[in-house]
Amino acid sequence: MHGSENPSSDLPDLPGSLAAEVDGDIALLRLARPNKRNALDDPTVLGLEIFFTRLPEGVKAVVLSGEGTHFSAGLDLSELRERDLAEGIEHSRMWQSVFDKIAFGRVPVVSVLHGAVVGGGLELACATHIRVAERSAYYGLPEGQRGIFVGGGGSVRVPKLIGAARMMDMMLTGRVYDAAEGQTIGLSHYLVDDGAGLDKAKTLARAIASNAPLSNYAILQAVPRIAEAAGGNGYFTEALMAAVAQSQDEAKQRLRDFLEKRAPKVEKE
């Protein structure tokens, strides 16, 4: 990786609220404010932007987790200050921009959810592509009780997973979903025992990293946009991406491997 004997040395400098390392072709990123339940302040959010925009070239997937007993309790309310209208809009747009760099970044991101996945923490989780929840995880959007509103893209991303009605219920009443309920309604993709989330996420990330890089990139960039497009536009975009992906030499070799029985078939484990 850039010729470095220590791949982690190629990672960018990050604030103390984030910790990162490289493990083969995946990177491990931790929210590292356990004494604050990994609440998100602006330096942490801007550190996320630095990390996801300056990933070493050899990294093909990222695992995002939280240090301590919680993934993230959301916005650090102790840093919430009075802002005028323009400042409030710009602050929200900054969070949205950073989370977009995760959702539409260069590589897929697998998050490990445990303990509190609340407010901005849930918004961050929903910007990741695969979510592994441990049984301790719980989900909430307490903005209604705090007199505020989601500002990190939650009103766009959360309803796509669970529906607008469920999100309104969470915000209006303070309803909290536990890990099993979150799995049922679509907040997580996998549900594992406490303590097993990181290993599961690493396994998934390594499987993702073994895919053709262009296919992964096309999936991240095209699928969400096609889902929002009018039918005809979506079909054309899909055809375009299919042609681009299969034109690559790596894709052609993978197809040959499958046809010549050198690649595994899809089977239920």
Side-chain angles (χ1 to χ4, degrees), residues 10 17 29 32 39-41 49 64 86 116 125 136 154 156 167 184 189 217 223 225 232 236 240-241 258-259:
D10 293 325
S17 55
L29 177 65
L40 301 172
D41 56 6
E49 180 177 38
L64 173 63
S136 66
V156 175
M167 180 176 182
T184 298
H189 298 86
Y217 187 76
V223 170
R225 293 180 168 96
F236 178 77
L240 182 63
M241 294 309 302
F258 178 79
L259 292 173

Side-chain angles (χ1 to χ4, degrees), residues 1-260:
M1 194 174 298
H2 302 312
S4 171
E5 293 183 2
N6 178 13
S8 292
S9 67
D10 293 325
L11 288 166
D13 291 333
L14 298 172
S17 55
L18 294 170
E21 61 181 295
V22 173
D23 182 2
D25 52 8
I26 68 174
L28 309 175
L29 177 65
R30 294 194 319 278
L31 303 174
R33 300 183 80 201
N35 59 318
K36 299 282 286 185
R37 302 208 306 170
N38 292 322
L40 301 172
D41 56 6
D42 284 357
T44 302
V45 174
L46 292 171
L48 290 170
E49 180 177 38
I50 292 169
F51 177 83
F52 283 102
T53 55
R54 302 183 194 173
L55 276 176
E57 290 181 8
V59 170
K60 297 180 180 179
V62 172
V63 173
L64 173 63
S65 61
E67 192 173 307
T69 56
H70 301 281
F71 174 71
S72 175
L75 172 67
D76 187 344
L77 295 177
S78 68
E79 295 198 352
L80 192 63
R81 61 179 180 83
E82 290 187 12
R83 297 183 174 92
D84 63 26
L85 181 58
E87 290 173 335
I89 292 172
E90 287 303 310
H91 186 256
S92 177
R93 293 293 289 153
M94 181 271 284
W95 277 52
Q96 292 168 357
S97 174
V98 173
F99 290 1
D100 262 1
K101 287 179 172 65
I102 299 172
F104 295 102
R106 181 170 66 80
V107 301
V109 182
V110 183
S111 55
V112 183
L113 310 179
H114 70 295
V117 188
V118 172
L122 180 54
E123 292 183 285
L124 172 58
C126 290
T128 67
H129 306 100
I130 303 293
R131 291 172 293 281
V132 178
E134 297 187 356
R135 295 193 181 276
S136 66
Y138 60 91
Y139 309 94
L141 291 170
E143 284 77 3
Q145 290 73 53
R146 306 284 187 265
I148 56 177
F149 196 77
V150 290
S155 60
V156 175
R157 291 194 175 92
V158 176
K160 291 177 182 177
L161 300 178
I162 66 174
R166 283 198 178 99
M167 180 176 182
M168 290 172 65
D169 178 26
M170 293 175 75
M171 294 183 72
L172 289 170
T173 69
R175 180 172 183 169
V176 174
Y177 285 100
D178 64 24
E181 293 168 327
Q183 174 77 9
T184 298
I185 66 175
L187 288 172
S188 62
H189 298 86
Y190 299 87
L191 181 60
V192 299
D193 290 336
D194 291 342
L198 186 59
D199 284 343
K200 178 66 174 179
K202 288 180 181 179
T203 298
L204 293 169
R206 290 194 174 97
I208 291 168
S210 71
N211 295 339
L214 183 60
S215 291
N216 279 350
Y217 187 76
I219 291 165
L220 300 192
Q221 305 302 321
V223 170
R225 293 180 168 96
I226 290 171
E228 294 181 353
N233 294 333
Y235 290 138
F236 178 77
T237 304
E238 178 184 88
L240 182 63
M241 294 309 302
V244 169
Q246 69 188 29
S247 69
Q248 301 299 299
D249 290 340
E250 181 174 350
K252 293 175 182 178
Q253 183 60 54
R254 286 173 181 246
L255 288 172
R256 283 194 293 269
D257 289 345
F258 178 79
L259 292 173
E260 295 170 11

